[in-house]
Amino acid sequence: VIDIAAVMWAESLTEFRGAVDDFVSRFGDYIQYKNESLATDVIHYQHRYLLGVKETREIHIRETKERIEIDEVDKNILRSLASDARKPLVEIAEEVGESDRVVSYRIKKMEKNGLINAYRVNIDHTRLGFTWYKLWIRAKQKPPELISFIKQNPKVVYIVEGVGLPEDLDVEVMVRTGQEVFQFMKELRLHFPKLIGPYKTFMFTETKKVRYLPF
């Protein structure tokens, strides 16, 4: 059982190590076990579990060699959009102290250079009877056909790639019952019997905070 799962942004391994050490120094008396890993790619899939369709768009959050320079105006626009992506330009302009024309230009520029990848709706899946599970799956190999099979399942909302992950595959799904998790793994083993090994499941009962901005 994992009581708390936390994801953080870091500009370097040194910054990440410092953040972990600081957390442990403050709350070490309450920590019985911890596992640290580096996510090299967090792949988002459209929330298809409501529709049951295989087609999806992939959104990758990963390290790249490309660097984009932004100023304080861009940061303020991003902060405003992060709080409400449907906020009218006029309101954003008033918040950041610029004209709506400037705000519109800045947003389009950030979309064009790939800084803004998508706008997402946060769905309260619990109100629809769904539960969010993380699966840690042991796999001998991860060929492209295995990853393709996983991502085509409408229940899948994330795949995490990284270094030091507890298992070879880190997959997150939205399901109505625990039986659907079992069925997901049954299908995976049926199609890839020589690759898929033991697995662990964790249920997300509450999300305290989600913020995609590192500032």
Side-chain angles (χ1 to χ4, degrees), residues 47-55 152-155:
H47 285 203
R48 304 158 289 159
Y49 57 91
L50 297 174
L51 305 174
V53 297
K54 293 183 178 181
E55 294 76 16
Q152 287 181 26
N153 192 305
K155 298 180 180 66

Side-chain angles (χ1 to χ4, degrees), residues 9-11 39-42 60-67:
W9 295 97
E11 287 188 329
T40 56
D41 192 3
V42 181
H60 295 259
I61 295 183
R62 59 190 172 191
E63 183 179 359
T64 67
K65 294 182 179 180
E66 298 178 14
R67 294 295 181 265

